[in-house]
Amino acid sequence: MVSIADIGYDEVDDATGEVPCRGLSGESLKKLPCHIILDEVAAAQSICCTICLQDIEGGEIARSLPRCQHTFQLSCVDKWLIRHGSCPVCRQDV
Ligand SMILES: [Zn+2]
Ligand SMILES: [Zn+2]
């Protein structure tokens, strides 16, 4: 399996005929799982939102991407996905 980071977007474009860096629609965003970070989870392990580089606190809503399980604050990742449509950490398509 070839990681998307190893091949240029242009090559992906040729292979699929789609635009891989297109952002997600609101409908697609709603289908992604999100959950509230519990206080005890936040206390036991610091979960860093790599978009804004702040820790996700207990009671905040986070979204985990189903393919790679990377977790971000809901508001941060939604803004990102609307523009990019892929994980900000590993660039996997969502
Ligand atoms: Zn954030
Ligand atoms: Zn990821």
Side-chain angles (χ1 to χ4, degrees):
M1 186 181 140
V2 184
S3 142
I4 204 154
D6 296 326
I7 46 176
Y9 274 138
D10 288 341
E11 294 170 52
V12 176
D13 208 354
D14 287 338
T16 63
E18 291 174 4
V19 183
C21 54
R22 181 187 57 199
L24 293 185
S25 66
E27 278 302 302
S28 307
L29 279 178
K30 277 187 216 153
K31 289 182 198 150
L32 295 172
C34 61
H35 55 273
I36 295 172
I37 300 292
L38 300 174
D39 284 336
E40 50 265 39
V41 173
Q45 53 172 135
S46 61
I47 308 165
C48 184
C49 171
T50 47
I51 298 174
C52 65
L53 300 179
Q54 291 184 18
D55 285 346
I56 306 176
E57 316 251 351
E60 287 196 273
I61 303 173
R63 197 189 289 288
S64 298
L65 301 180
R67 287 215 193 157
C68 61
Q69 301 298 317
H70 284 125
T71 301
F72 313 92
Q73 286 164 315
L74 180 74
S75 55
C76 296
V77 77
D78 279 10
K79 272 185 241 157
W80 175 277
L81 290 176
I82 284 169
R83 283 188 292 141
H84 300 276
S86 60
C87 174
V89 175
C90 62
R91 302 279 170 171
Q92 265 205 78
D93 283 349
V94 175

